Amino acid sequence: MNEATSIKIRERLYRTLTYLQYFEQVYTYAESQSSTRLAEQSKTISDNKSLPYHEFLAQFGKEFLDEFYNRELFFKFMLIHSVFIQYYSLFEHTLLEWMAIMVDADRSKKIVDIKSKSEIDKARKYLHQMYGVESASNTPDLSLLNDFRKIRNAIVHNDSHLVKHIQSSKKFLRGYECIVRDDTYQFMIRDDKFLKDFLMVVRRYFKAISDEIAPVKKN
């Protein structure tokens, strides 16, 4: 691969890692603000637990309780699901950008004959089959990325309901603080570690591929 193509690959990686860091900071800020507000509301409720319900409502308003219960029950998982989708989209887009860069660099290596289950699968197979990038396909991280892909698809396409791969996805989600309904298999992820683990796997996967196809030359 020529140096110009390697530079483009590294530039895309730098941009992606920067964006992931920004998104991570936004999540941390939003979660911190919500946790602070929830703690304040919890203290208000605790300090006034002796008040009859109608007096509490008269003093603090129904909106106060609505906000408290919505924040307690829904905010955390909605934030995690939303940020995860953004992370995953950036991950997918970066792999496709890398593939496009490499296709432009060598038009003889076409992608029309590559069978795949997803866009990410197509990109990794292209890198492996056309350029011999071993780290694109021969890594334990692929299994983890596939687990995350199933969760992403359930969130995006089925309103966070497990419709396919139910047992394997339930097993995967047991590693996190997560509510899974027994009747509908709808899930709510409430664990920061879920996002951290996904970022760790993505960064490691990106680094392995970029080190192989666009290594930084040492002086």
Side-chain angles (χ1 to χ4, degrees), residues 43-168:
K43 185 176 186 306
T44 298
I45 293 172
S46 178
D47 290 347
N48 293 277
K49 61 184 177 181
S50 61
L51 281 180
Y53 180 70
H54 69 278
E55 290 186 20
F56 187 93
L57 283 182
Q59 183 172 345
F60 296 99
K62 182 176 180 297
E63 293 78 9
F64 177 92
L65 287 179
D66 287 344
E67 180 191 347
F68 171 76
Y69 289 123
N70 286 333
R71 192 177 295 278
E72 171 72 15
L73 295 173
F74 302 118
F75 184 85
K76 179 90 172 184
F77 98 82
M78 291 178 69
L79 181 62
I80 288 176
H81 286 209
S82 298
V83 172
F84 172 59
I85 295 306
Q86 184 64 63
Y87 283 170
Y88 195 95
S89 177
L90 186 56
F91 164 61
E92 181 178 62
H93 185 67
T94 300
L95 279 182
L96 294 176
E97 278 193 318
W98 281 0
M99 183 175 68
I101 289 170
M102 297 174 83
V103 169
D104 285 341
D106 188 347
R107 290 288 180 175
S108 67
K109 296 180 178 180
K110 299 181 181 180
I111 61 176
V112 291
D113 295 329
I114 296 179
K115 296 181 180 180
S116 60
K117 299 178 181 179
S118 66
E119 292 298 294
I120 288 178
D121 196 42
K122 180 192 293 184
R124 74 160 185 84
K125 284 183 176 180
Y126 176 81
L127 294 175
H128 187 214
Q129 294 177 17
M130 298 294 109
Y131 280 89
V133 182
E134 289 295 318
S135 53
S137 292
N138 298 326
T139 169
D141 284 336
L142 275 184
S143 177
L144 286 171
L145 289 171
N146 191 45
D147 286 329
F148 282 112
R149 179 187 63 82
K150 295 172 187 176
I151 301 304
R152 176 264 181 193
N153 287 346
I155 294 173
V156 171
H157 300 300
N158 296 299
D159 187 30
S160 300
H161 289 74
L162 298 177
V163 176
K164 299 179 180 179
H165 317 291
I166 293 175
Q167 296 307 316
S168 62

Side-chain angles (χ1 to χ4, degrees), residues 173-185:
L173 289 174
R174 287 193 197 109
Y176 304 100
E177 181 187 342
C178 178
I179 300 170
V180 182
R181 291 184 56 171
D182 291 332
D183 54 349
T184 64
Y185 299 116

